[in-house]
Amino acid sequence: MKAFLKTWKAACADSRNPYFVVPGRGGRKYLLSKIVFEGPCQSALKFLISGELVAENRVWTKEADTWITFKSIPRMTVLGDGLIDGRGSIWWDCLSKKIMEFMGCNGLRVKDLNLKDSPGKNLVVYKSDHVILTGLKITAPEDSPNTDGILISDSRFVVVSHSTIGVGDDCIAIGPRSYDISVSHINCGPGHGISIGSLGKNSAEDNVERINISNSHISNTLTGIRIKTWQKGGAGYARFISYKNINFTAVKGGIIVIDQHYCPALNCPNKAGNVAVSGVSYTDLIGSSADDLAVKLVCSSSVPCRDITMTRVSFTTPQAGRGPTAYCANVQGREATDISPSVPCLKHHLTGRG
């Protein structure tokens, strides 16, 4: 680790747009303990990973932590065809850690990385604006807990595209205080689909706005596209959200889901108030549901979902002679005539159940 930090110090101080190179010739591997690469740097640095970075095969902390952190480094590019191996299996039964996190890295570019077996969340973008993530391959076993592929929070103007993600949790999770996020050309599965949230945990005020998810394929996941807010109260909004041109294959637990009663522990008090969900559009969505229930919109009675629209949405189920079904509560919106399954509550101004 000392050699990495010494080289980083020199590269960060270089004003000539240097490369920090992790060589890969001869299949080289580098055993790396927890490390923080910190800026600001003197120029737009490029971090090239051609070799294999391997985490220690031991539980190296009992605290919430990250293996590789990039902090306060504007205009950096991280790229390469090497492998980043978190060796996460020893953590999955007890602790959740992050494999790689970017904090305060405005103007960040990450491309062509291969991340494997994170102890927890794979790649985290936090308090970083004008970010592009592309060409990523992120994998973890389907039963590995909390191994989100990409988590974005407290960030603006983030583009995620042309990536393949198969993990044990959300392929992509868009967290609180995320604005102007674009996700496209993603192959997602296995995992828990592409999620917005969870929002409003511990009665917090959380906002998410202008999220566009399009031109992707989601297969063999537990839920497809989901908005989730905690049922323990909270405030704020999730609005101006667009899902377009997405194909689904054998999705379990609902292809389209809005869940304003989110509570993984199943013992949360049902308090008044919630994060308001509005301005959500679903357009040109097709595919198959592994379950009868393909659409599940469960919104708060105190803060109903509003302006929910569906156009050209068509799902099937594997059961011969049985079409998919939809369930909804406390939803206002509209649907076109070419919707299967039909969502009755979207035909009315405001509904209790349909």
Side-chain angles (χ1 to χ4, degrees), residues 178-256:
S178 297
Y179 308 93
D180 299 287
I181 310 298
S182 174
V183 175
S184 67
H185 299 94
I186 303 298
N187 284 315
C188 165
H192 295 182
I194 298 176
S195 293
I196 295 173
S198 58
L199 306 175
K201 186 177 183 180
N202 298 322
S203 300
E205 180 175 344
D206 288 336
N207 298 323
V208 168
E209 188 172 29
R210 295 183 299 276
I211 311 297
N212 296 297
I213 299 169
S214 66
N215 300 305
S216 295
H217 182 212
I218 297 175
S219 62
N220 299 292
T221 54
L222 181 63
T223 74
I225 47 179
R226 177 171 55 160
I227 300 171
K228 48 186 179 178
T229 71
W230 285 79
Q231 74 177 39
K232 297 189 293 183
Y237 55 77
R239 65 189 185 190
F240 309 139
I241 298 165
S242 169
Y243 299 95
K244 190 172 183 179
N245 294 325
I246 305 174
N247 184 275
F248 303 87
T249 302
V251 171
K252 301 178 284 291
I255 296 177
I256 296 175

Side-chain angles (χ1 to χ4, degrees), residues 10-19 42-46:
C12 192
D14 194 329
S15 61
R16 298 168 296 177
N17 300 321
Y19 274 83
Q42 295 300 310
S43 60
L45 187 147
K46 291 182 173 62

Side-chain angles (χ1 to χ4, degrees), residues 220-298:
N220 299 292
T221 54
L222 181 63
T223 74
I225 47 179
R226 177 171 55 160
I227 300 171
K228 48 186 179 178
T229 71
W230 285 79
Q231 74 177 39
K232 297 189 293 183
Y237 55 77
R239 65 189 185 190
F240 309 139
I241 298 165
S242 169
Y243 299 95
K244 190 172 183 179
N245 294 325
I246 305 174
N247 184 275
F248 303 87
T249 302
V251 171
K252 301 178 284 291
I255 296 177
I256 296 175
V257 176
I258 298 177
D259 182 5
Q260 289 202 290
H261 296 274
Y262 181 69
C263 177
L266 304 177
N267 61 352
C268 303
N270 192 10
K271 297 181 180 179
N274 209 306
V275 176
V277 177
S278 65
V280 184
S281 65
Y282 303 92
T283 308
D284 294 318
L285 309 182
I286 62 171
S288 62
S289 172
D291 302 328
D292 288 344
L293 187 63
V295 178
K296 183 168 63 175
L297 311 179
V298 183

Side-chain angles (χ1 to χ4, degrees), residues 18-22 44-51 53 70 76-84 100 102 108-114 132 134-136:
Y19 274 83
F20 182 112
V21 179
V22 181
L45 187 147
K46 291 182 173 62
F47 197 109
L48 175 62
I49 303 173
S50 295
L53 299 179
F70 295 91
M76 179 177 65
T77 298
V78 180
L79 71 164
D81 57 0
L83 176 65
I84 302 168
M100 180 176 283
F102 298 92
L108 172 70
R109 303 291 183 268
V110 181
K111 59 184 297 186
D112 301 332
L113 292 188
N114 184 353
I132 296 176
T134 188
L136 306 181

Side-chain angles (χ1 to χ4, degrees), residues 14 24 69 85 92 129 131 139-140 151 192 194 202-203 227 238 243-244 249 259 283 299 314 346 349 351:
D14 194 329
T69 301
D85 186 353
W92 293 333
D129 299 340
V131 172
T139 58
L151 170 63
H192 295 182
I194 298 176
N202 298 322
S203 300
I227 300 171
Y243 299 95
K244 190 172 183 179
T249 302
D259 182 5
T283 308
C299 295
S314 179
L346 295 185
H349 176 64
T351 137

Side-chain angles (χ1 to χ4, degrees), residues 6-210:
K6 182 179 179 180
T7 305
W8 173 259
K9 184 177 180 180
C12 192
D14 194 329
S15 61
R16 298 168 296 177
N17 300 321
Y19 274 83
F20 182 112
V21 179
V22 181
R25 183 173 297 177
R28 297 181 68 175
K29 297 183 179 182
Y30 304 86
L31 183 65
L32 192 63
S33 56
K34 174 191 170 181
I35 192 166
V36 178
F37 298 102
E38 190 164 1
C41 296
Q42 295 300 310
S43 60
L45 187 147
K46 291 182 173 62
F47 197 109
L48 175 62
I49 303 173
S50 295
E52 183 174 339
L53 299 179
V54 182
E56 296 178 280
N57 193 27
R58 65 182 182 89
V59 176
W60 42 265
T61 181
K62 294 183 179 180
E63 306 297 326
D65 216 333
T66 302
W67 174 32
I68 302 172
T69 301
F70 295 91
K71 185 177 181 181
S72 303
I73 311 164
R75 299 181 298 131
M76 179 177 65
T77 298
V78 180
L79 71 164
D81 57 0
L83 176 65
I84 302 168
D85 186 353
R87 299 172 88 174
S89 60
I90 61 172
W91 301 85
W92 293 333
D93 289 336
C94 54
L95 301 165
S96 177
K97 307 299 171 192
K98 298 184 281 286
I99 192 172
M100 180 176 283
E101 183 169 11
F102 298 92
M103 304 171 59
C105 295
N106 294 338
L108 172 70
R109 303 291 183 268
V110 181
K111 59 184 297 186
D112 301 332
L113 292 188
N114 184 353
L115 291 85
K116 172 188 175 185
D117 291 347
S118 175
K121 293 171 176 55
N122 281 268
L123 191 153
V124 178
V125 175
Y126 176 66
K127 289 190 175 181
S128 300
D129 299 340
H130 300 281
V131 172
I132 296 176
L133 312 175
T134 188
L136 306 181
K137 182 179 180 182
I138 301 175
T139 58
E142 184 175 1
D143 60 353
S144 57
N146 300 309
T147 52
D148 298 59
I150 297 170
L151 170 63
I152 302 163
S153 71
D154 296 82
S155 300
R156 295 175 179 268
F157 303 107
V158 178
V159 175
V160 185
S161 70
H162 297 91
S163 296
T164 298
I165 304 172
V167 290
D169 210 304
D170 297 328
C171 292
I172 298 173
I174 300 168
R177 297 167 296 281
S178 297
Y179 308 93
D180 299 287
I181 310 298
S182 174
V183 175
S184 67
H185 299 94
I186 303 298
N187 284 315
C188 165
H192 295 182
I194 298 176
S195 293
I196 295 173
S198 58
L199 306 175
K201 186 177 183 180
N202 298 322
S203 300
E205 180 175 344
D206 288 336
N207 298 323
V208 168
E209 188 172 29
R210 295 183 299 276

